[in-house]
């Protein structure tokens, strides 16, 4: 407040102090450089070298409304994470990474929302009034200096982004993540698509940091499966036991990581025949199978992805074991095909060959198939989809990569992928014997391609039918 002397000199009196004015301690931090920051710097250098003389804009994305004034939990775009090594709850919505061309490469600046100020400036009430971004509402953000220190990149306030993007500079943008950025820079469809492809392909081969984070995610995922087996008996007592299974795994995901890599599939009985069953509203009955497909996302946003099909009672019936053993044999054949230099599709072909031979031996060819039916289509009625995918920051990682580098490419040391064959006999499928109807089995594990083969990252989880029964008995 100004005193009477100020008023005597004609100055306008200040507004009375409000309940949030003044009295705040300085709490600036000095965070160390994030462990993944050095790897992110190498990725930024590779991106700079790929597009010299051009401005590159990679937004993190923003908040999405769940209902009225509640937002979904924020998760930044995977390309943004890859280039910054941002971590879990520290990620700030509406951040934008800008590569500004210079004579020798690029100057990289992270435009982001700083910590809510308390100095009475233009945003001086944000910390207590803004329900979406205010510190009292959603928690403390880093200061710009803290972000720069932790991520090893220059920072600027998000408010400075628009003037920074002016000028007639050839630009490439990761589109569809920030409507304001998309509006500021005219679209260049081919150039932007090329950028998206490069950002995706640059994640195909994982570096040491990424492999370490995937190990963390997979280990936590394995722990979640142990938790579920320990809760199976209780789940059978509930009308919606699938929800209990889902919640059991999800608790582990939140305890050990940032959360889920994807929505948990807890499919009991005939629900196991639905590839992405996520309603999880059915019972879990003794005598049925439970197909659990789930993954923990680490704080670094790397995710695991494992599937096990479990006999709820602890023991497979004869017909369940027959289906399970065929899928297990198919997965084992697919695993044996994993090695550097092999075609990406070789593991799928190997697994499908085993499934086809097994189904033929059972006399199961879909109704209406003829000798002219292509081999790739002949068994899709019971297999439906492929048998694996790349894994990393996304569960289905690197999806924007060109076919020649991914689906039509060859495996390399540093690739991480899943092998997950399955058989799904729909409950109303009259082309299969009644005893098979309603049985769905999938087995999925995560693999790192090495210099001389492949390492199963999820090997701590039993795969074979006998081992699964023994494991379940030890936890009941």
């Amino acid at each position: 407040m100004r005193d009477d002397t100020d008023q005597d000199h004609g100055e306008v009196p200040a507004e009375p102090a409000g309940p949030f004015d003044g009295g705040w301690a300085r709490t600036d931090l000095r965070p160390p450089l994030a462990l993944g920051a050095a790897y992110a710097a190498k990725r930024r250098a590779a991106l700079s070298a790929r597009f010299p003389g051009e401005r590159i804009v990679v937004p993190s994305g923003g908040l999405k409304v769940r209902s009225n004034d509640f937002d979904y939990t924020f998760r930044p775009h995977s390309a943004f994470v890859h280039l910054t090594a941002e971590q879990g709850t520290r990620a700030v919505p509406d951040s934008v990474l800008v590569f500004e061309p210079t004579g020798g490469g690029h100057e990289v600046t992270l435009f982001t929302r700083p910590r809510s100020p308390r100095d009475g400036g233009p945003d001086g009430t944000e910390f207590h009034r803004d329900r979406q971004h205010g510190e009292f509402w959603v928690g403390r953000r880093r200061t710009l200096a803290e972000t720069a220190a932790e991520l090893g990149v220059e920072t600027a306030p998000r408010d400075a982004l628009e003037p920074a993007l002016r000028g007639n500079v050839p630009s490439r943008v990761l589109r569809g993540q920030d409507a304001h950025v998309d509006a500021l820079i005219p679209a260049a469809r081919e150039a932007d698509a090329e950028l998206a492809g490069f950002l995706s392909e640059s994640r195909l081969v994982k570096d040491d940091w990424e492999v370490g984070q995937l190990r963390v995610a997979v280990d936590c995922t394995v722990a979640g499966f142990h938790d579920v087996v320990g809760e199976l008996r209780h789940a059978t007592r509930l009308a919606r036991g699938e929800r209990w299974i889902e919640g059991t795994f999800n608790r582990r995901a939140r305890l050990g990581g940032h959360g889920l890599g994807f929505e948990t599939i807890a499919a009991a009985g005939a629900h196991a025949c639905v590839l992405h069953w996520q309603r999880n509203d059915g019972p879990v009955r003794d005598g049925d199978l439970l197909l659990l497909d789930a993954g923990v996302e680490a704080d670094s946003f790397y995710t695991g992805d494992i599937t096990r099909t479990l006999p709820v009672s602890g023991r497979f019936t004869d017909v369940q074991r027959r289906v399970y053993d065929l899928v297990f044999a198919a997965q084992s054949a697919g695993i044996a095909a994993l090695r550097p230099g092999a075609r990406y599709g070789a593991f799928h072909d190997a697994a499908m060959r085993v499934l086809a031979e097994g189904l033929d031996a059972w006399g199961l060819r879909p109704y209406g198939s003829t000798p002219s039916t292509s081999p790739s289509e002949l068994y899709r009625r019971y297999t439906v989809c492929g048998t694996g995918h790349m894994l990393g920051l996304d569960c289905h990682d690197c999806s924007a990569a060109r076919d020649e580098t991914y689906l039509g490419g060859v495996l390399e040391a540093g690739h991480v992928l899943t092998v997950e064959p399955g058989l799904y006999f729909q409950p109303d499928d009259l082309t299969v014997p009644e005893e098979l109807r309603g049985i769905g089995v999938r087995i999925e594990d995560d693999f790192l391609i090495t210099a001389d083969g492949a390492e199963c990252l999820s090997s701590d989880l039993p795969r074979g039918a006998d081992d699964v029964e023994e494991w379940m008995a030890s936890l009941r």
Side-chain angles (χ1 to χ4, degrees):
M1 296 289 292
R2 289 187 172 85
D3 59 21
D4 292 340
T5 304
D6 292 330
Q7 295 183 37
D8 289 345
H9 284 82
E11 296 185 15
V12 178
E15 292 291 328
F20 297 97
D21 293 345
W24 303 108
R26 289 295 300 271
T27 56
D28 291 0
L29 305 174
R30 294 183 178 179
L33 184 68
L35 294 177
Y39 291 91
K42 293 179 181 178
R43 299 171 201 143
R44 293 195 297 271
L47 179 59
S48 173
R50 176 62 182 81
F51 300 109
E54 301 180 62
R55 178 185 289 155
I56 306 163
V57 184
V58 181
S60 70
L63 293 168
K64 293 179 173 61
V65 175
R66 182 185 185 277
S67 65
N68 194 22
D69 56 348
F70 287 93
D71 297 310
Y72 286 102
T73 300
F74 175 63
R75 199 248 193 222
H77 191 279
S78 294
F80 178 88
V81 174
H82 197 238
L83 294 168
T84 61
E86 187 58 284
Q87 294 276 307
T89 56
R90 304 176 77 76
V92 179
D94 304 318
S95 298
V96 182
L97 195 64
V98 176
F99 292 67
E100 190 66 25
T102 65
H106 289 85
E107 291 180 351
V108 183
T109 304
L110 175 58
F111 292 84
T112 189
R113 190 181 294 271
R115 185 184 181 190
S116 300
R118 302 186 187 184
D119 58 4
D123 297 319
T125 63
E126 177 192 83
F127 73 102
H128 65 87
R129 296 189 64 179
D130 191 322
R131 293 170 181 256
Q132 199 169 44
H133 302 291
E135 187 168 321
F136 283 13
W137 292 90
V138 298
R140 184 191 192 278
R141 292 188 300 274
R142 294 169 300 210
T143 67
L144 292 180
E146 290 167 359
T147 299
E150 187 168 333
L151 300 183
V153 65
E154 293 297 318
T155 57
R158 163 75 193 212
D159 291 347
L161 176 65
E162 185 168 344
L165 296 183
R166 292 174 186 158
N168 187 22
V169 180
S171 300
R172 297 175 187 260
V173 179
L174 182 64
R175 298 279 171 182
Q177 306 306 313
D178 190 313
H180 185 61
V181 170
D182 287 349
L184 287 173
I185 303 175
R189 181 173 299 179
E190 290 186 7
D192 292 341
E194 189 177 11
L195 170 64
F198 179 83
L199 292 172
S200 194
E201 290 173 16
S202 68
R203 305 206 310 270
L204 280 167
V205 175
K206 273 58 179 181
D207 58 34
D208 291 344
W209 161 255
E210 294 179 286
V211 171
Q213 292 307 300
L214 282 161
R215 292 186 191 278
V216 169
V218 172
D219 287 349
C220 193
T221 301
V222 168
F225 276 74
H226 284 284
D227 295 342
V228 164
V229 171
E231 294 285 329
L232 262 179
R233 185 164 293 170
H234 183 71
T236 63
R237 306 185 186 115
L238 306 173
R240 294 200 287 182
E242 290 176 344
R243 292 280 170 93
W244 190 264
I245 298 302
E246 174 189 358
T248 298
F249 184 86
N250 294 6
R251 180 179 65 238
R252 173 64 65 173
R254 289 292 285 166
L255 179 67
H258 183 246
L260 298 172
F262 52 93
E263 291 300 311
T264 298
I265 298 169
H271 291 164
C273 299
V274 181
L275 293 178
H276 287 173
W277 176 261
Q278 294 173 340
R279 300 178 196 175
N280 300 341
D281 58 359
V284 176
R285 299 186 179 96
D286 271 327
D288 281 346
L289 296 175
L290 169 73
L291 189 156
L292 179 63
D293 186 340
V296 172
E297 181 179 80
D299 288 320
S300 57
F301 298 107
Y302 289 84
T303 186
D305 181 12
I306 300 173
T307 306
R308 287 294 182 269
T309 305
L310 309 171
V312 176
S313 68
R315 296 191 67 83
F316 293 99
T317 67
D318 289 344
V319 67
Q320 289 169 351
R321 180 182 277 264
R322 182 155 57 100
V323 178
Y324 189 95
D325 284 348
L326 179 53
V327 174
F328 176 81
Q331 191 200 28
S332 298
I335 294 168
L338 297 177
R339 62 182 182 277
R343 287 186 305 107
Y344 171 80
F347 74 90
H348 169 77
D349 294 343
M352 283 301 301
R353 190 175 304 113
V354 171
L355 291 179
E357 291 171 355
L359 291 171
D360 276 351
W362 295 352
L364 292 182
R365 287 199 174 198
Y367 177 77
S369 63
T370 69
S372 63
T373 304
S374 70
S376 63
E377 293 293 319
L378 189 58
Y379 302 99
R380 284 197 63 196
R381 185 180 183 111
Y382 311 136
T383 60
V384 187
C385 64
T387 57
H389 52 80
M390 291 294 182
L391 184 69
L393 282 167
D394 295 332
C395 175
H396 296 161
D397 207 24
C398 311
S399 60
R402 295 166 297 169
D403 281 352
E404 57 264 35
T405 64
Y406 183 176
L407 299 178
V410 298
L411 296 177
E412 298 181 41
H415 282 171
V416 177
L417 71 160
T418 72
V419 178
E420 52 170 324
L423 285 173
Y424 313 95
F425 299 115
Q426 302 299 327
D428 57 349
D429 190 344
L430 300 180
T431 70
V432 300
E434 186 175 359
E435 65 179 0
L436 291 177
R437 296 174 198 165
I439 292 180
V441 173
R442 179 163 67 250
I443 310 171
E444 178 182 24
D445 286 279
D446 304 336
F447 296 88
L448 167 67
I449 303 300
T450 63
D452 55 2
E455 175 190 353
C456 182
L457 301 179
S458 49
S459 60
D460 286 345
L461 211 56
R463 280 198 316 123
D466 289 340
D467 294 334
V468 167
E469 289 181 346
E470 182 180 349
W471 164 54
M472 294 182 68
S474 72
L475 295 176
R476 294 175 72 89

